[in-house]
Amino acid sequence: MGNIQVLDLQTAQSIAAGEVVERPASVIKELCENSLDAGADRLSLYIEQGGKKSIRVTDNGSGMSAEDAIMAFEEHATSKIRQITDLDELITLGFRGEALPTIAAVAKVTLQTRRPEDAVGTRVVIEGGKLIERGEVHCNAGTTLEVRDLFYNTPARFKFLKKDQTEAQRITEVVQEIALARPDVSLFLEYEGKEVLHTPGDNQLLSAIYAVFGQQLAKAMVPLLPRQDSMVHATGYLCLPEEARKSRNWQMFYVNGRPIKSPLLTRALEDGYKSTMMTGRFPAAVLQLWLPMNLVDVNVHPRKLEVRFWNESEVYRAVYEQVQNSLFTALRPPELSSPDPEQTALTADDNPSSSTVSAEPSLSAKSSPEKTPSPFTQAPDKSYLRFDLDGYAARMAEPARNYKTADEFPAAEKASETAPVQLSFTSEEAPAADDREATLQSLRRARFAGELFRTYLLFEDGDRILLIDQHAAHEKVLFEEAVQDYQKNQRIRSQMLLEPVRMEISPSDEFFIEEHRDFLEACGFQVDFFGPAVVLVRAVPIGREVLDPAKALRYLLDDAAANGIEQVKGETDLIYHMLATSSCKSAVKAHDRLQALEVEALRERLLELDNPFHCPHGRPVIVSIRRYDLEKMFKRIV
Ligand code: ADP
Ligand code: MG
């Protein structure tokens, strides 16, 4: 007998299974797609142990006849196409007729199904590809498919699966993707007896966004304005720049209703935000691209979610322009006609380069469409268009944080950007080493002479004046104290909040928190689950006097999502990063008026630092001006 043999059917099927079904999340995707293809508008999913133990999907779709219930498990059996040319007009999601047989080959599957017109339903049990049971059953109209013990007969594949939490997270992502693609369908996801996601199915994309991303982000979402006279156009929602995230996890793209990954669309979206977005921030968006089927090739690979556009530049332009116009419309502050001098001043002196943004968004200024009501929500809630000018300006003024460790914080290179218009004297933004000591001596002795613009503290000593940026100074103090404390204890000390703070989280946050609780605690957070999609923040890193606990945790979650927890866990980058961020957030701001005692306390604490001259973001804290330079200005000396 030769070496080459035809594999028995079951072996062949289990090998093929790897193609379609590589993990629980892909099983769920296939099952949900089948339910949607069957016209269901209500799907319930119950998952246990990362989907390895059990996956159950129940729908209210068309159901199957007794005959079809068996046929469905035959290879290449499909009700969706009859011949190859049907592919051109394909509107259903599946068509290969391989999902059910391949799943049934590597798991224990129970199908219960009934068509509305039938009196009784059909129950079929298949294990490892073998028909075990077949009979009648009384059940609701629709279909329930239960998949237990995935890969029980293919140990090699089973070993390939990740931890339950990780698989659960992927499942959540898949379900979120579907939820956002189909706001007309009510999706319910329960994991180990706990509700993870529930969308209303009211055909409002914003409702689905609310369920998936949470209230805070949903409120900061603006609709994409329509694009006229184009074969290619996008619909969906974008977040305001102020709610931008630190990772791309909050970007969902669809082409003709299918979730996809596309560098082209990512670029078009992000370019549309340019000049409103800090580096290192990414817009959250749910973006649906619509174009004629023959202009796109979706099935480059059935599993890879990749697409090929026939006219890439047209697609790019459509999305880019729509994003720009929609943001422009949303960002145009309503009070533009009577600018508040207070706010204008804040923007201007916090960061001169950003002042244009708040006064007149530099987004496609050429077209300035009237604020049209959203075509995608009836009676749009105006609060979605709310634009917090103050917060926005402050955020825009923050420099990018892409440094690595405390030592690598950019030195004075930012100084020139934020320094006031150069006068005829030379300010000493970064004193030379020999002069540092002199500056500190001066600061120790100096008389507090008052504040300027509610931003700078003015000190006078002998033949020099010192200007201190109160925000930068306080930030530096908080940062250094936090770092010292961290180095001593190898964890960020925690401080209980008097009142726990409620915070909304996404399902993937939820898994993250569950899995990395130790890490969060090392970072000083204590978090408890509180009903679906909500946590209570009970403790925050110490020293964050005015810190918004929810925001700080959001930063940490997004950071870890962006940088990968495994990578950052052992290192201190994230810790420093977070300390710097939270120090900045909690520091007094420009325009907070400090009491004399607070000024003194700030001076004391500054003087205790090794390097009080630059804030963690590299901006100068202390600027020293010599009397000599002043006198030259006044021509007292020539
Ligand atoms: P495909 O979806 O590619 O046709 P599948 O193996 O996923 O192949 O499904 C085989 C067939 O089983 C489908 O064509 C459909 O007729 C039927 N089927 C599967 N799931 C359902 C469901 N939830 N409701 C009704 N029919 C279903
Ligand atoms: Mg299918």
Side-chain angles (χ1 to χ4, degrees), residues 217-508:
L217 193 49
K219 279 198 164 163
M221 287 287 206
V222 296
L224 264 173
L225 298 180
R227 186 172 196 254
Q228 252 90 44
D229 311 323
S230 171
M231 295 221 286
V232 180
H233 76 283
T235 59
Y237 281 85
L238 308 168
C239 81
L240 293 171
E242 58 176 358
E243 275 294 327
R245 304 284 143 148
K246 292 192 131 190
S247 76
R248 293 199 169 94
N249 291 357
W250 310 74
Q251 297 179 354
M252 315 287 255
F253 298 99
Y254 300 83
V255 167
N256 293 342
R258 281 169 179 257
I260 52 132
K261 302 252 178 293
S262 161
L264 181 78
L265 293 183
T266 307
R267 193 151 44 81
L269 169 73
E270 290 178 4
D271 287 355
Y273 274 79
K274 75 166 182 280
S275 82
T276 69
M277 190 68 72
M278 290 161 46
T279 45
R281 291 302 171 84
F282 304 96
V286 178
L287 200 149
Q288 308 251 17
L289 188 74
W290 304 98
L291 71 177
M293 282 292 230
N294 58 354
L295 292 185
V296 59
D297 189 356
V298 179
N299 259 313
V300 173
H301 186 289
R303 299 269 65 79
K304 278 194 186 137
L305 309 162
E306 279 164 11
V307 292
R308 204 166 28 218
F309 298 112
W310 293 109
N311 189 343
E312 297 213 329
S313 58
E314 170 66 7
V315 168
Y316 174 88
R317 213 184 50 214
V319 172
Y320 173 76
E321 284 179 7
Q322 278 189 275
V323 169
Q324 266 208 335
N325 285 335
S326 309
L327 279 179
F328 176 75
T329 306
L331 290 182
R332 196 175 48 169
E335 61 279 279
L336 194 63
S337 48
S338 60
D340 178 350
E342 193 75 49
Q343 290 181 332
T344 313
L346 172 71
T347 322
D349 62 22
D350 260 8
N351 186 348
S353 64
S354 73
S355 58
T356 49
V357 177
S358 64
E360 180 73 65
S362 52
L363 291 161
S364 97
K366 50 186 190 317
S367 64
S368 68
E370 281 311 300
K371 194 175 277 176
T372 44
S374 153
F376 309 110
T377 55
Q378 287 104 42
D381 179 347
K382 281 286 191 306
S383 69
Y384 297 132
L385 299 174
R386 161 196 57 92
F387 180 47
D388 168 12
L389 188 61
D390 211 335
Y392 183 55
R395 251 166 277 240
M396 292 307 296
E398 281 173 32
R401 298 191 198 83
N402 44 12
Y403 42 73
K404 280 262 180 293
T405 67
D407 307 276
E408 286 173 51
F409 287 133
E413 91 255 16
K414 281 274 185 294
S416 57
E417 285 172 36
T418 50
V421 180
Q422 282 300 309
L423 300 178
S424 56
F425 57 81
T426 49
S427 64
E428 297 159 38
E429 286 150 358
D434 52 335
D435 199 39
R436 289 174 172 225
E437 202 37 49
T439 307
L440 290 182
Q441 294 289 351
S442 276
L443 180 58
R444 200 161 279 130
R445 290 185 303 252
R447 178 180 71 87
F448 176 55
E451 41 90 2
L452 300 170
F453 313 125
R454 293 210 218 159
T455 300
Y456 306 104
L457 306 175
L458 175 63
F459 293 87
E460 175 211 332
D461 174 62
D463 59 0
R464 72 167 93 208
I465 61 175
L466 298 169
L467 286 171
I468 292 184
D469 177 327
Q470 64 184 38
H471 169 71
H474 193 208
E475 179 182 353
K476 176 69 172 184
V477 163
L478 293 178
F479 174 73
E480 288 298 334
E481 289 174 357
V483 168
Q484 278 167 19
D485 195 69
Y486 176 75
Q487 282 164 347
K488 207 160 66 213
N489 302 305
Q490 280 311 301
R491 58 194 294 121
I492 299 177
R493 274 196 295 143
S494 199
Q495 126 196 324
M496 293 300 282
L497 297 168
L498 286 177
E499 286 276 341
V501 171
R502 224 174 148 271
M503 173 183 164
E504 292 188 11
I505 53 166
S506 72
S508 42

Side-chain angles (χ1 to χ4, degrees), residues 20 29-35 37 77-78 80 93-100 103:
V20 183
K29 191 166 151 63
E30 293 291 343
L31 297 185
C32 288
E33 289 186 349
N34 279 347
S35 296
D37 283 347
T78 178
K80 297 167 195 174
L93 296 163
F95 59 85
R96 287 155 198 273
E98 57 188 4
L100 290 188
I103 293 167

Side-chain angles (χ1 to χ4, degrees), residues 44 49 161 184 199 337 340 353 413 454 499 512 534 537:
S44 306
Q49 295 181 16
L161 295 179
D184 56 325
T199 62
S337 48
D340 178 350
S353 64
E413 91 255 16
R454 293 210 218 159
E499 286 276 341
F512 183 91
V534 173
V537 185

